[in-house]
């Protein structure tokens, strides 16, 4: 007869515990042996969510009107060339001065092609956004599987399927999702290239990141940072001799060369059009001035919205009497940069404080909408909490797997610092969020493993205590 100090080893309690453990083990085994089915279900879930966001959007049901397409996309679709006039950003644009580099070429050309093929149907353009999001999800799965295993990769895929900012972007003809697509597949091929050291993998990594940079120019910062990291990171050939250095540098040159080769037509086009190089977008100077012009005032820790920016631009033009009124986008961009750098040099400490403050605006949209007098919606609060959870778990995953996942961490840090230096909103971080989601899934797996070990240790301790009694 069992005593109170020595509970029975049989009975409903232990049997239930054993049954739960068997169900858990059988369920885990089922997931491992049916990865494709689970991945297909997650893809279907992302498709349903994307379609739901599309249905929520109030657009023209059958939009065969130029008003439904961005000006640049409309002009490309009608054979007018890569031209558009954005007077809010470039006040001297006109019918004779409308050459543009404000929008990156990949999304503009893609949606223009869709407009031609689908007879300017916005429905087709928005459904393209849903498809792009599904391709990103596949990239998240592939990258996470390369760094961890299929079970963790399925978790990463589910996290991306539930990622609210990406679901919001499927209904916009912007380059953020296309940039995310280029980044996640570029980093996947880069991880594979490090393992296999094949030329095709290095070339694919450079090409994918170039397509990402031609969708959002800020992606360009990843290539020099990654190149330096690849040269100094631990490698299979740690020799410091000239031959060893050259052996490490050769694949990096493949990577950088592929990136530059894809970028070259855009760079040449801008050089020919504007008479000066424009590596990314002519909106960089505008954003730099708009988000930093107020450093001379006491109320500078904030996001500047369009109405205030319009007033600041009008004041700038009134002050710059040297302007002729015929300046191209590239020339106006140079003026914005000059004025912004002048303000920054005059207030370096305030600029550093504002840049640091922009970190919370970039990752959490902190107080961004409040500046417009809007109250935070439930959806925005959920997005903030989701972002905070992903970032926290990603830090855990990065620390736990640093030697293999440093590439992802470096990309997240470099991309964040670039936007903190210029302008920050949560939507701006989306191009590198697939990398954060992969690290977050690894972090959740690490936390679950640590929790499981503690529970096992606690059970062993209790068992020993019972036996001792």
């Amino acid at each position: 007869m069992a005593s109170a100090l020595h509970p029975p080893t049989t009975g409903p309690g232990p049997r239930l515990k054993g049954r739960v453990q068997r169900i858990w083990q059988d369920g885990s085994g089922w997931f491992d042996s049916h990865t494709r089915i689970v991945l297909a279900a997650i893809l279907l879930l992302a498709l349903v969510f994307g379609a739901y966001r599309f249905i929520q959007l109030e657009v023209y049901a059958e939009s065969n009107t130029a008003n439904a397409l961005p000006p640049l996309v409309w002009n490309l679709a009608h054979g007018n060339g890569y031209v558009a006039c954005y007077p809010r950003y470039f006040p001297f644009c006109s019918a004779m001065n409308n050459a543009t580099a404000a929008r990156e070429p990949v999304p503009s050309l893609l949606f223009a092609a869709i407009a031609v093929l689908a007879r300017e149907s916005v429905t087709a353009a928005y459904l393209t956004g849903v498809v792009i999001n599904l391709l990103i999800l596949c990239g998240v799965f592939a990258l996470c599987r390369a760094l961890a295993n299929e079970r963790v990769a399925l978790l990463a895929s589910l996290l991306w399927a539930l990622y609210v900012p990406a679901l919001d972007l499927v209904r916009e003809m912007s380059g953020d999702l296309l940039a995310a697509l280029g980044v996640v597949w570029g980093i996947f091929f880069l991880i594979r290239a490090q393992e296999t050291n094949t030329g095709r993998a290095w070339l694919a990594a450079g090409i994918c990141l170039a397509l990402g940079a031609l969708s959002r120019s800020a992606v360009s910062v990843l290539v020099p940072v990654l190149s330096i990291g690849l040269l100094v990171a631990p490698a299979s050939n740690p020799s410091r001799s000239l031959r060893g250095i050259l052996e490490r540098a050769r694949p990096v040159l493949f990577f950088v060369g592929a990136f530059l080769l894809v970028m070259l037509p855009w760079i040449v086009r801008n050089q020919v059009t504007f008479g000066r190089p424009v590596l990314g977008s002519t909106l960089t100077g505008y954003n730099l001035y708009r988000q930093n012009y107020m450093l001379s005032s006491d109320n500078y820790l904030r996001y500047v919205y369009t109405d205030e920016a319009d007033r600041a631009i009008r004041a700038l033009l009134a002050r710059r009497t040297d302007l002729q009124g015929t300046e191209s986008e590239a020339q106006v961009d140079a003026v914005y940069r000059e004025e912004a750098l002048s303000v920054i040099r005059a207030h370096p400490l305030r600029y550093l404080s504002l840049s640091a403050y922009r970190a919370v605006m970039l990752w959490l949209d902190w107080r961004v909408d409040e500046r417009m007098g809007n109250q935070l919606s439930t959806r925005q609060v959920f997005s903030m909490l989701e972002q905070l959870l992903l970032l926290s778990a990603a830090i855990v995953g990065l620390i736990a797997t640093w030697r293999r996942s440093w590439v992802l961490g470096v990309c997240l840090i470099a991309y964040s610092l670039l936007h903190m230096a210029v302008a920050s909103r949560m939507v701006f971080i989306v191009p590198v969020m697939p990398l954060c989601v992969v690290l977050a899934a690894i972090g959740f797996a690490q936390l679950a493993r640590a929790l499981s070990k503690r529970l096992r240790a606690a059970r062993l301790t209790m068992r020993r205590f019972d036996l001792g009694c």
Side-chain angles (χ1 to χ4, degrees), residues 54-374:
F54 167 72
I55 293 171
Q56 278 186 322
L57 181 64
E58 295 180 1
V59 297
Y60 302 106
E62 289 296 332
S63 50
N64 296 317
T65 170
N67 295 329
L69 296 174
L72 177 56
V73 173
W74 191 89
N75 283 326
L76 286 169
H78 287 77
N80 298 330
Y82 209 92
V83 295
C85 189
Y86 302 102
R88 165 163 275 173
Y89 311 125
F90 307 103
F92 305 130
C93 67
S94 63
M96 301 302 295
N97 182 24
N98 60 355
T100 185
R103 307 298 182 188
E104 291 84 354
V106 167
S108 301
L109 294 171
L110 173 64
F111 288 111
I114 293 170
V116 172
L117 295 174
R119 299 182 180 180
E120 301 180 20
S121 169
V122 174
T123 300
Y126 289 142
L127 290 178
T128 302
V130 175
V131 173
I132 293 170
N133 194 46
L134 296 181
L135 294 176
I136 296 172
L137 191 151
C138 293
V140 167
F141 175 83
L143 177 57
C144 193
R145 183 175 59 178
L147 291 172
N149 55 56
E150 289 188 342
R151 197 183 301 180
V152 180
L154 289 174
L155 174 60
S157 303
L158 180 61
L159 291 175
W160 184 260
L162 301 174
Y163 185 56
V164 173
L167 293 173
D168 290 339
L169 285 173
V170 299
R171 61 184 190 176
E172 295 185 15
M173 285 179 278
S174 71
D176 296 294
L177 286 182
L178 281 169
L181 182 63
V183 168
V184 69
W185 282 106
I187 299 303
F188 166 74
F189 284 116
L190 190 63
I191 296 295
R192 173 167 289 186
Q194 288 182 288
E195 296 175 349
T196 63
N197 200 27
T198 58
R200 286 182 298 179
W202 288 107
L203 290 174
I207 290 171
C208 288
L209 285 176
L211 293 175
L214 291 173
S215 301
R216 275 292 176 260
S217 55
V219 173
S220 300
V221 74
L222 304 184
V223 175
V225 172
L226 287 173
S227 300
I228 295 172
L230 291 168
L231 290 174
V232 301
S236 58
N237 181 13
S239 173
R240 295 184 180 180
S241 65
L242 179 60
R243 183 175 180 179
I245 294 174
L246 290 176
E247 288 182 3
R248 291 199 301 274
R250 189 180 297 114
V252 177
L253 291 176
F254 265 86
F255 168 61
V256 176
F259 175 82
L260 293 177
L261 189 63
V262 177
M263 294 288 295
L264 188 61
W266 178 243
I267 297 173
V268 171
R269 178 265 177 188
N270 291 336
Q271 177 68 45
V272 171
T273 301
F274 300 111
R276 62 178 66 192
V278 178
L279 302 180
S281 165
T282 49
L283 279 176
T284 303
Y286 168 84
N287 287 319
L288 186 65
Y289 181 75
R290 168 178 166 174
Q291 299 299 338
N292 293 281
Y293 90 95
M294 69 296 188
L295 288 173
S296 58
S297 67
D298 292 333
N299 183 25
Y300 63 92
L301 292 176
R302 55 193 173 85
Y303 184 89
V304 177
Y305 271 91
T306 51
D307 291 343
E308 181 184 351
D310 292 344
R311 294 192 296 271
I313 296 302
R314 287 195 295 268
L316 168 63
L317 296 176
R319 188 172 70 252
R320 290 294 298 258
T321 56
D322 58 315
L323 299 178
Q324 302 297 315
T326 58
E327 282 78 6
S328 66
E329 278 192 8
Q331 291 171 319
V332 174
D333 177 60
V335 171
Y336 288 146
R337 290 173 186 256
E338 176 187 339
E339 292 289 337
L341 292 176
S342 175
V343 176
I344 291 170
R345 283 193 294 266
H347 306 279
L349 295 180
R350 288 189 174 187
Y351 174 68
L352 291 176
S353 300
L354 177 58
S355 297
Y357 183 74
R358 275 196 282 250
V360 290
M361 289 193 283
L362 179 64
W363 282 92
L364 303 176
D365 253 0
W366 180 253
R367 300 192 66 186
V368 171
D369 282 324
E370 292 178 28
R371 289 293 177 184
M372 293 188 67
N374 297 332

